[in-house]
C-alpha cells in the first residue's frame, strides 16, 4: 500500500505543482522530475491513483478502476503509459494471458487475442445474416484495419510538442508519417465512418466493434476515433499478442509512477486538498490548501482534477480574463476556454460491485475477465446493458487471502448521472436505488460463478456518489466525451495548456478517450509543454520504439 506522511509544514516553494495523483497527474509529475524539474504532487485522498486507486480489507485488495491492460511491461511498446514507465526505469512485473469470457445474447464463449481463434467463435455461434458470413466479414475487417493500425502507431505521444521545435522532435517519425499519410484523415475521424465506408454490415461484427469502442473511449463508434481502434488492433490482434495483468493490480502501476516521481526528487503529499489556484501578475503561481498552507510554483500549476472541478479553484477575476490586463484577445480567449470547459460533455458514470468470496471448489481455469451484454438492440451505451467483471485474484493470488477470490464488476461509463444528483447518501431512497441498480452487476457475476451469492464474505456497492466522494470527480463522472464535432467529424486539437499562463490541465476531461493510455499520453503532453526540445529528444532516444 502506498502512503505518504503528511508534511508538518506543507507550505513550500517548488517549480511545478500537480493537483491530483491520478495516472495523468503522476505521469506528468514523474516525467518532469525525470527532466530535472522540482515537482510537488498533491492529492486530497489518503492514497494516490485517482480512478485507479485501490483499498484493502481483511486481506482483500479492491480496485476502483481499470482491470484490462496491454503493452505495459514489454519493450518496445506503443502504450503511452508503458513508455512512461520505461522512461522512468520502472519495470512492471506482469502476468501474461490472452483469453476472456463473453456472455452475449448469442451465448457464452471464450475468445482470445493474438490469433484467429475469434474466427472459430464466429463460425460456431454467429449465424449468417442477409447472406453475410460473420467470419468472412471479420477476416476482411482485419485486413482493412492494417493501414490504420500502422498509422496509429506512427507518432508516439512522447514526440509531440506545440511549439516550433516540434519540427525537431517529429523529424525522426517523418518516414512513418509519410507512409501513413493516405489514411491519416481516416484515423482522425469517427470509427463508424470507416465501418460504413467499407460496408461492414454484419450485425454481430458491428455490435462487437461497438463494444470495443465503448471499452476504449466511453463512446460508441460514432464518437470514437478510428485511431483508438487502430491502436487496439495493432496491440491485440498481432500474432501472439497477449494481455497483461500487473502483479499487485493497478496499485503496482501507481506505485511505479510514485517511485519514478520520488527517486527523481519529486514530492507526493497526500490528504492535501486544494482550495484555490493562485493567480499572480497574470499567471498561475501556486495553490492554497485547506488549512491555509501555500505552495508557490515558479514554472506551472498542472491540474489533474477534472475541468469541472478545476474551474471552481480559480479566482473569479482570472476566469473573467481580468488577469490579462489590457490584452483583449487573451481576455477573450480565457473566457472562451472557461465556456468550453463548462460545456464539455460529461461521460456517464459507473456502478461498482466489489466482492470478496470463498473460492472453494471453483475451477482452476476460471477466467479473469468476463464481458456481459443483455440486449444488442438497446445499444452498448444503454444504462444497465453492459457489465465488465474482473476476478483479478485468478491471475494474482496475492490480491485475496488463500482460498478466496476478489471480484470487481462494473458498468463501464453507462450509469446515468442525473438519477443520483442531490441524493443523500444516508437516505433510504439512496439505499433502495443502490440495491436496485446493482442487480445487473450480480447477474453478470452469476454468469461467471452461478452460486456467487452463497460465497460472499464481503461486499460493497459503489455509485456515482461514491466516485464523487472518494475521487472528487464532479457528479461522479467518468470524464469527458463528445470529442468528435458533428460539423467536421474530427477531433479538435487538445493540449494541456490553457489561456491562463502557467496553468495546464491533464486527464480524461481534457483529452479524448478516458483510460490509462489516453491520460498517460496527456501526461507526456503536459511534461513537454514545460521541457526543452533537446531534453525531449534525448528522451525519445530512450522511449521511441
Amino acid at each position: 500500500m502506498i502512503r505518504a506522511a503528511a508534511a508538518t509544514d506543507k507550505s513550500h516553494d517548488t517549480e511545478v505543482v500537480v493537483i491530483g495523483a491520478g495516472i495523468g497527474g503522476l505521469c506528468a509529475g514523474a516525467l518532469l522530475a525525470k527532466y530535472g524539474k522540482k515537482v510537488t504532487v498533491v492529492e486530497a485522498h489518503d492514497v494516490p491513483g485517482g480512478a485507479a486507486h485501490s483499498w484493502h480489507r481483511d486481506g482483500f485488495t479492491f480496485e476502483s478502476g481499470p482491470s484490462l491492460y496491454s503493452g505495459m511491461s514489454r519493450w518496445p511498446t506503443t502504450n503511452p503509459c508503458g513508455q512512461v514507465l520505461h522512461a522512468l526505469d520502472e519495470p512492471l512485473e506482469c502476468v501474461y494471458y490472452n483469453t476472456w469470457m463473453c456472455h452475449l445474447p448469442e451465448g457464452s464463449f471464450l475468445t482470445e487475442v493474438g490469433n484467429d481463434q475469434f474466427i472459430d467463435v464466429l463460425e460456431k455461434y454467429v449465424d449468417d445474416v442477409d447472406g453475410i458470413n460473420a467470419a468472412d466479414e471479420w477476416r476482411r475487417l482485419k485486413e482493412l484495419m492494417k493501414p490504420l493500425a500502422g498509422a496509429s502507431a506512427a507518432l508516439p505521444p512522447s514526440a509531440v510538442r506545440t511549439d516550433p521545435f516540434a519540427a525537431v522532435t517529429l523529424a525522426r517519425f517523418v518516414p512513418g508519417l509519410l507512409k501513413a499519410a493516405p489514411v491519416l484523415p481516416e484515423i482522425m475521424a469517427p470509427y463508424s465512418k470507416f465501418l460504413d465506408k467499407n460496408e461492414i454490415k454484419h450485425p454481430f461484427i458491428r455490435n462487437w466493434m461497438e463494444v470495443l469502442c465503448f471499452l476504449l473511449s466511453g463512446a460508441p463508434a460514432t464518437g470514437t476515433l478510428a485511431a483508438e481502434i487502430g491502436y487496439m488492433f495493432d496491440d491485440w490482434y498481432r500474432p501472439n499478442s497477449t494481455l497483461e495483468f500487473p502483479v499487485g493490480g493497478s496499485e503496482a502501476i501507481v506505485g511505479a509512477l510514485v517511485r519514478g516521481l520520488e527517486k527523481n526528487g519529486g514530492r507526493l503529499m497526500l490528504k492535501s486538498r486544494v482550495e484555490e489556484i493562485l493567480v499572480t501578475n497574470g499567471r498561475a503561481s501556486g495553490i492554497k490548501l485547506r488549512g491555509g498552507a501555500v505552495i508557490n510554483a515558479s514554472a506551472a500549476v498542472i491540474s489533474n482534477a477534472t475541468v469541472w472541478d478545476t474551474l471552481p479553484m480559480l479566482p473569479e477575476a482570472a476566469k473573467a480574463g481580468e488577469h490579462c490586463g489590457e490584452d483583449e484577445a487573451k481576455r477573450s480567449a480565457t473566457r472562451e476556454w472557461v465556456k468550453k470547459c463548462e460545456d464539455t460533455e460529461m461521460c456517464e458514470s459507473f456502478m461498482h460491485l466489489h466482492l470478496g468470496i470463498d473460492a472453494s471448489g471453483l475451477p482452476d481455469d476460471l477466467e479473469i475477465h468476463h464481458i456481459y451484454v443483455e440486449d444488442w438492440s438497446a445499444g452498448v451505451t444503454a444504462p444497465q446493458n453492459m457489465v465488465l467483471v474482473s476476478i483479478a485474484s485468478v491471475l494474482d493470488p496475492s490480491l485475496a487471502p488463500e482460498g478466496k477470490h476478489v471480484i470487481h464488476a462494473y458498468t463501464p461509463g453507462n450509469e446515468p448521472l442525473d438519477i443520483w444528483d442531490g441524493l443523500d447518501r444516508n437516505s433510504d431512497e439512496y439505499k433502495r436505488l443502490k440495491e436496485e441498480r446493482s442487480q445487473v452487476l450480480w447477474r453478470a457475476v452469476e454468469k461467471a460463478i452461478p452460486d456467487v451469492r452463497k460465497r460472499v464474505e464481503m461486499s460493497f456497492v459503489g455509485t456515482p456518489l461514491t466516485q464523487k466522494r472518494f475521487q472528487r470527480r464532479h457528479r461522479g463522472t467518468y470524464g469527458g466525451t463528445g470529442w468528435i464535432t458533428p460539423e467536421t467529424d474530427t477531433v479538435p486539437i487538445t493540449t494541456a495548456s490553457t489561456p491562463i499562463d502557467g496553468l495546464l490541465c491533464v486527464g480524461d476531461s481534457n483529452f479524448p478517450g478516458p483510460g490509462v493510455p489516453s491520460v498517460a499520453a496527456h501526461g507526456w503532453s503536459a511534461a513537454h509543454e514545460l521541457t526543452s526540445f533537446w531534453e525531449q529528444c534525448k528522451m525519445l532516444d530512450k522511449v521511441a520504439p
Side-chain angles (χ1 to χ4, degrees), residues 55-91:
W55 73 99
H56 304 260
R57 294 286 188 281
D58 295 342
F60 291 99
T61 298
F62 296 100
E63 302 197 275
S64 66
S67 55
L68 187 64
Y69 302 98
S70 61
M72 297 291 288
S73 66
R74 288 175 170 169
W75 191 254
T77 179
T78 55
N79 185 318
C81 192
Q83 291 184 349
V84 171
L85 294 175
H86 188 68
L88 299 172
D89 297 305
E90 284 293 336

Side-chain angles (χ1 to χ4, degrees), residues 67-367:
S67 55
L68 187 64
Y69 302 98
S70 61
M72 297 291 288
S73 66
R74 288 175 170 169
W75 191 254
T77 179
T78 55
N79 185 318
C81 192
Q83 291 184 349
V84 171
L85 294 175
H86 188 68
L88 299 172
D89 297 305
E90 284 293 336
L92 188 69
E93 182 184 359
C94 287
V95 180
Y96 302 100
Y97 65 105
N98 70 341
T99 57
W100 60 16
M101 277 297 295
C102 297
H103 307 283
L104 307 179
E106 289 81 1
S108 294
F109 53 80
L110 186 74
T111 188
E112 298 180 6
V113 301
N115 58 46
D116 286 331
Q117 179 265 357
F118 194 50
I119 297 290
D120 299 333
V121 169
L122 295 173
E123 290 176 340
K124 180 177 180 179
Y125 288 93
V126 182
D127 296 330
D128 292 359
V129 176
D130 295 331
I132 303 171
N133 178 267
D136 289 342
E137 185 127 292
W138 180 254
R139 290 188 187 96
R140 186 166 68 88
L141 178 60
K142 283 185 68 177
E143 286 299 312
L144 290 167
M145 286 299 301
K146 286 181 179 178
L148 269 68
S152 299
L155 182 62
S158 52
V160 176
R161 298 184 67 85
T162 57
D163 61 19
F165 292 110
V168 179
T169 60
L170 298 179
R172 72 183 72 191
F173 303 101
V174 167
L177 290 171
L178 289 175
K179 184 179 179 180
V183 297
L184 287 179
E186 286 188 297
I187 67 172
M188 294 305 292
Y191 187 60
S192 57
K193 291 188 71 173
F194 178 84
L195 294 174
D196 293 342
K197 173 188 172 183
N198 290 287
E199 298 186 325
I200 303 299
K201 295 180 178 180
H202 194 286
F204 181 86
I205 301 300
R206 293 293 295 232
N207 285 330
W208 182 248
M209 296 317 299
E210 290 286 348
V211 167
L212 295 181
C213 285
F214 196 56
L215 293 180
L216 288 171
S217 73
T222 54
T224 300
L225 274 183
E228 293 186 71
I229 303 302
Y231 166 82
M232 181 273 296
F233 263 78
D234 180 65
D235 202 36
W236 289 4
Y237 291 108
R238 284 180 286 109
N240 303 314
S241 294
T242 62
L243 300 170
E244 301 175 342
F245 188 80
V247 175
S250 58
E251 188 174 310
I253 301 171
V254 175
L257 293 172
V258 171
R259 287 194 301 274
L261 169 74
E262 294 182 334
K263 75 182 181 183
N264 286 294
R267 180 178 180 183
L268 172 64
M269 294 171 52
L270 301 176
K271 296 187 284 188
S272 301
R273 183 172 180 177
V274 178
E275 289 195 335
E276 184 180 357
I277 297 172
L278 304 176
V279 179
T280 308
N281 297 326
R283 65 175 292 111
S285 59
I287 58 172
K288 184 173 77 172
L289 301 176
R290 174 178 288 182
V294 171
I295 302 175
N296 297 306
S298 60
V301 175
I302 299 176
S303 178
N304 186 214
T306 71
V307 292
W308 309 287
D309 294 297
T310 299
L311 290 180
M313 299 180 199
L314 285 166
E316 292 300 321
K319 288 186 284 187
E322 294 176 14
H323 66 289
C324 302
E326 300 302 316
D327 189 338
E328 185 52 42
K330 201 163 187 179
R331 289 167 67 101
S332 178
T334 301
R335 292 192 293 268
E336 289 175 8
W337 171 74
V338 169
K339 179 76 163 56
K340 179 183 80 74
C341 291
E342 291 173 339
D343 292 345
T344 296
E345 186 179 345
M346 290 182 199
C347 188
E348 302 285 17
S349 191
F350 283 53
M351 287 295 298
H352 298 268
L353 178 63
H354 300 280
L355 301 174
I357 70 165
D358 178 7
S360 301
L362 289 177
D364 292 336
D365 61 352
L366 185 65
E367 290 294 318

Side-chain angles (χ1 to χ4, degrees), residues 30 129 133 160 170 248 315 359 363 375 389 459 469 541:
V129 176
N133 178 267
V160 176
L170 298 179
D375 179 10
V389 178
S459 67
R469 179 186 179 195
D541 291 337

Side-chain angles (χ1 to χ4, degrees), residues 445-453:
V445 176
E446 285 169 334
K447 284 288 186 179
I449 304 174
D451 64 345
V452 67
R453 294 183 193 246

